[in-house]
Structure formats: structure tokens, C-alpha cells
Amino acid sequence: MRAIPSRFRVKLPRSSGFRLAVIFSAIFLIAACVALVAAYTIIEQEINTRHIRDIDQEKSLFVEAYKAGGTAELSDLIATHSKATSGFDRVYLLTDSNGNKLAGNLEVLEHKRHFVHLYEREMRVPAKVIGLKLNFDYYVRTFDIAGMTLLLGSSARDMDEVEEVFLQGAGWAFVLLAAVSLIGGGWLSYRMNRRISRIEEALELVSNGRFDVKIPKSGSGDDIDRLASLMDNTIAKLGTSVETNRQISADIAHDLKTPMNRLRINVEQALHADETGKPVSGFLSIIEKESSAILKTFDALLRIAQIEGGARKARFDWIDLSEILTDVCDFYSEHAEELGSRLVLTPPQALPRLYGDAELLTQMLSNLIENSLKHGGDDLTITCSATVDAHAILLTVSDDGCGIPVAERKKVTRRLYRLEKSRTTPGSGLGLSMVKAIADLHAAELQLGDNNPGLRTSIRFPL
């Protein structure tokens, strides 16, 4: 088989594969961004919850101190915690009912909030601490203790650090994902475009009359491989069809040339006889016979073409094949006896009904029997039978005549093909062609085999 040249004429940016790769890469990156945002939100909520829980636990400690020693005990504990805090990681502020500061490491706030994020500039951090250039927020909650206001805050430095690391990591991850998705998408689109280009080149070769082309496959069994296999089958069938049409044209020209020449000679003789006053009825009889034979050949060819085109499927119905077999055998039994042969019908089994064209199946059986009677020789025994198994109905017509050589069995189903090269006996070489066309229309399998001696023709109708 001819190999497909590796020419890739599809421009990558204009190809459907590249566009799909870009679209899916964009979708993938958007999904990755959504996932990163979701992950960041979950981490932030977890850190918020942890800080709030710590503040609430510390608040409980201060409430217990107040219960144990009053305001003095509470102020001392706040002062102790304030001194123990490094770098304002924790902030405390206790004010009386008039808003005056009682204890803590913060100045009095102008407003109170239940739970907020505050920047260090809002917290009135002392100037010496501001000089440290703090740039983080505080988680703050306020509580009421016996008319006093207790403000507790926790530094969000850890959240700032997590945010910084997360954003850096997310940025690098996005860059890597973008690079991988674009490179991977480009590579996949390149492979797809290469395979599509090979299919395109194969079809171009087919359009130029090359039907021996095979489309390369990746071996993965994917949808493009399955499509390539279907196209290979289609190309093979198209090549067979074209070759058959060529053969038919050659056979028609060959088979009809002789009768047409005879027809022309007889017409010339009839004209000459008419000019000389001789009778022309004999010539006209020969002309009528020759023209009838030619028309019969053309009618048979047209009928085969109609059958192969599937036009007769509109007449399909559920039929009894055993009834058709019995009727055809009854019709030909007397004719077979007149020719010195016998037609034997093996009583068919109870056959399931078959979906098909009764008229065509009758003609198919008639052609098989007539073919045996014409070409099988003298003193024949022709046997017809029909059996059924779990998968098919098997129709068989066999004889004990001269049979068909093995090398000729595939050829005899071609139109106008005859074993007798001299073509002196009546016939057009279309009988078995008609049988094969009818069998194909019914999705049946035609087989020609040995009957030892003679020919055994089997037609297998799938159930």
C-alpha cells in the first residue's frame, strides 16, 4: 500500500485542533484560578477562626481575674500581659465607663468595634513602635466587664506572611500551569492536525483515482482511528465499485459488440433484399430476435442496478421463505423433467418469517435453478433445501453437474461474465450477478462450493 506523505498544510493557528487546545487551556487556567481563590478563602477563614478563638479564651481568663480580685486584679493582669507581649503581637486596652484608660499597651480608640480588622495606624500604636514600620492588621474584639470596656487584639502578621507566600506560590503555579497547558495543548493540536492532514492527503489521492491508499493510524483506537478505519473501508468499497463499473463498461462493449454487428448486418441485408425485390420477413425475424436479446440484457442490467441501489427495499415485508421455495420448485419440476433432469425439494423445516421482497427472492431461486439446468449438463439432479439455526436461515441449491472451477467462482458473479468464452450458447452472464445483488440487498451471504460432484450454492440469511 502506498504510504501517505507527511505534508502538513493546515496552518496551526487556523486549525480546529489549535483553537480547541487554546479554549481548553483557558478553561483549565480559569478553573485553576477559581481553585486558588477557594483555597485562599478557606485558609483565611481558618486563620480568622483561630484568632477569634484565642481572643475568646483570653477574655475568659480576664473575666475570671475580675471575679477574683476586682478591677485592680484585672488591671494588673492586663499590665502583665502587655509587658509580656513582644512587638505588639497582642494588644490590650481597658477603659472605664467614661472612656478613660485603666490599663493596656494601646491608647484610647475614638470608636469601639465588636470584631474588626484594624491597621496599626488605627490602633494608635506608640511612636516608638510605629518606627518599626509595622504593616499588618489586628483582629480585635471588645467586651463589657462591669461597665468597663475591654479591647483584646491579635496581630494578623501570620496572615500577612501566609498571604505573601500564597500569592508568590500561586503566581508561580499559574505561570507553570499556563506554560504546561499551552505547550501540551499546542503539542496535542499539532498531532491532531498532522493526522487530519494525512486524511486530507489520502482523500486527495483518492480523488485522483488512487484507491489503494491506507490512512495511517496511531494504534490507540480513538475516534480518529475509528474514523480512519471507516474511511479505509469506504475507499476500498469505492475502488471496488469503480473497478466494477469499468469492468461492466468493458463487458458491455465486448458482449454487445457482436450482437450489434449482427443486427447491423441483418439490417443491411434486409435493405438490400428490399431494393432487389426479395422478401425481407426472414431478416426482420432475425432482427427482432437480436434486438429482443439486446433489450433483455439492458433490462437485466438496469434491474441489477436498481436492486444494488436499494430501491426495492420499499417493498420489503414479512414473508414465508419455505412457501416461495415450494412454489418455485413446483413450477420448475416439470420443465426439468422435459430436459431429462430431476428437481428434488427437501421438505423445509418450520422457518421463521423473513423480512424481504418476495418477488426478488422468487427470481433469485429461479435464476439458480435455471443456471443449473443450462450449464450443469445432462441428466442432472438438482436439490433445493432450506434449514435454520440459531443465527440464520440457510437456503441451498445444489446439482451433480460439471460445477464451477474454484478459480472462477469469484468471477461468475460479475456482470456479463461467462465461463464459455466462445459465447455460443444462449445467455447473458447476468444470472448469478442478479442472485448476488438480491442476496446483498437482503444482507445475505452468497457462497459457491463443491457438491462433489457439481455446484453447491448456499445463501445465508441472518435472523
Side-chain angles (χ1 to χ4, degrees):
M1 297 299 175
R2 177 170 176 167
I4 304 299
S6 56
R7 295 182 291 115
F8 313 124
R9 289 169 292 174
V10 180
K11 293 183 178 180
L12 194 63
R14 298 178 58 187
S15 67
S16 60
F18 180 79
R19 292 175 182 176
L20 287 175
V22 171
I23 291 173
F24 281 110
S25 296
I27 294 174
F28 176 74
L29 291 177
I30 292 173
C33 290
V34 172
L36 290 174
V37 170
Y40 178 81
T41 302
I42 293 173
I43 293 173
E44 183 182 36
Q45 290 178 349
E46 178 61 27
I47 293 177
N48 287 346
T49 302
R50 187 186 68 184
H51 279 279
I52 294 170
R53 184 175 59 249
D54 291 345
I55 290 174
D56 287 341
Q57 290 176 352
E58 198 169 27
K59 171 250 183 180
S60 299
L61 178 65
F62 290 134
V63 170
E64 293 297 326
Y66 176 78
K67 290 179 179 179
T71 302
E73 181 71 18
L74 176 60
S75 298
D76 291 342
L77 183 60
I78 291 175
T80 302
H81 277 259
S82 298
K83 292 178 181 179
T85 300
S86 174
F88 277 76
D89 285 341
R90 311 282 290 195
V91 291
Y92 306 91
L93 178 63
L94 178 66
T95 59
D96 59 17
S97 58
N98 295 322
N100 299 314
K101 178 179 177 181
L102 299 177
N105 57 357
L106 283 182
E107 298 301 322
V108 177
L109 293 177
E110 295 179 357
H111 53 278
K112 300 178 182 180
R113 308 183 188 186
H114 178 64
F115 172 60
V116 290
H117 266 191
L118 292 178
Y119 290 106
E120 43 84 14
R121 62 178 178 272
E122 297 179 277
M123 301 294 293
R124 295 188 179 183
V125 178
K128 61 179 182 178
V129 179
I130 294 177
L132 297 176
K133 297 182 179 180
L134 302 177
N135 60 354
F136 48 88
D137 303 345
Y138 285 86
Y139 296 91
V140 176
R141 296 196 71 179
T142 58
F143 307 95
D144 183 76
I145 302 178
M148 297 178 292
T149 301
L150 175 63
L151 182 148
L152 301 178
S154 176
S155 168
R157 184 194 301 271
D158 55 350
M159 187 62 208
D160 289 341
E161 294 173 350
V162 169
E163 180 178 350
E164 181 179 359
V165 173
F166 187 88
L167 290 178
Q168 289 180 354
W172 281 110
F174 183 84
V175 171
L176 291 175
L177 288 174
V180 171
S181 62
L182 290 176
I183 293 173
W187 179 72
L188 291 175
S189 64
Y190 172 79
R191 286 193 62 193
M192 181 182 296
N193 291 336
R194 182 175 62 178
R195 296 172 70 183
I196 292 175
S197 295
R198 290 181 174 180
I199 294 175
E200 181 187 46
E201 290 164 356
L203 295 179
E204 287 183 357
L205 292 176
V206 173
S207 67
N208 293 327
R210 294 299 305 269
F211 300 104
D212 58 345
V213 174
K214 288 291 184 182
I215 300 175
K217 303 174 185 62
S218 66
S220 62
D222 59 7
D223 50 350
I224 296 182
D225 274 1
R226 293 194 298 271
L227 179 62
S229 298
L230 289 174
M231 295 181 73
D232 283 343
N233 294 335
T234 302
I235 292 171
K237 290 180 180 179
L238 179 61
T240 302
S241 178
V242 170
E243 182 60 31
T244 300
N245 288 334
R246 289 174 182 169
Q247 186 64 44
I248 291 171
S249 300
D251 290 342
I252 289 175
H254 182 270
D255 279 64
L256 295 183
K257 181 178 181 180
T258 300
M260 291 296 287
N261 281 334
R262 288 199 303 263
L263 184 62
R264 181 179 59 82
I265 292 171
N266 282 296
V267 170
E268 291 176 351
Q269 290 177 345
L271 290 174
H272 180 71
D274 184 61
E275 290 174 356
T276 58
K278 295 180 181 180
V280 296
S281 58
F283 294 108
L284 293 177
S285 177
I286 296 174
I287 291 171
E288 191 277 334
K289 183 178 180 181
E290 291 286 355
S291 60
S292 295
I294 294 172
L295 289 174
K296 184 178 180 181
T297 298
F298 277 111
D299 286 341
L301 288 171
L302 179 60
R303 188 172 176 82
I304 292 174
Q306 290 175 340
I307 294 171
E308 290 179 339
R312 293 296 295 265
K313 279 195 171 182
R315 302 178 59 178
F316 272 31
D317 199 358
W318 292 103
I319 58 176
D320 187 350
L321 186 59
S322 60
E323 182 179 340
I324 295 175
L325 179 60
T326 302
D327 291 343
V328 173
C329 289
D330 288 344
F331 179 81
Y332 277 97
S333 59
E334 185 175 346
H335 179 58
E337 291 177 1
E338 292 175 355
L339 297 176
S341 299
R342 291 189 315 123
L343 179 59
V344 179
L345 171 62
T346 301
Q349 304 175 10
L351 302 178
R353 296 181 71 82
L354 181 68
Y355 192 65
D357 188 319
E359 180 184 342
L360 291 180
L361 292 175
T362 299
Q363 181 171 359
M364 180 183 69
L365 279 167
S366 300
N367 284 9
L368 290 175
I369 295 173
E370 288 181 0
N371 189 70
S372 294
L373 292 173
K374 286 181 181 179
H375 308 293
D378 299 328
D379 194 21
L380 283 178
T381 298
I382 303 172
T383 304
C384 300
S385 64
T387 58
V388 64
D389 57 26
H391 305 289
I393 297 175
L394 184 63
L395 179 66
T396 304
V397 177
S398 57
D399 61 55
D400 55 359
C402 57
I404 298 177
V406 176
E408 301 286 341
R409 289 175 186 167
K410 290 186 178 180
K411 300 178 182 178
V412 293
T413 56
R414 285 176 11 197
R415 294 175 180 87
L416 303 173
Y417 186 85
R418 298 177 65 181
L419 292 176
E420 184 197 16
K421 305 305 179 184
S422 63
R423 300 178 182 267
T424 56
T425 58
S428 60
L430 294 172
L432 288 177
S433 299
M434 181 77 73
V435 170
K436 187 176 187 308
I438 295 173
D440 290 343
L441 183 68
H442 290 79
E445 180 184 3
L446 172 65
Q447 293 182 337
L448 303 178
D450 286 324
N451 196 43
N452 298 317
L455 176 67
R456 177 183 178 88
T457 304
S458 301
I459 304 173
R460 188 178 183 84
F461 296 90
L463 294 178

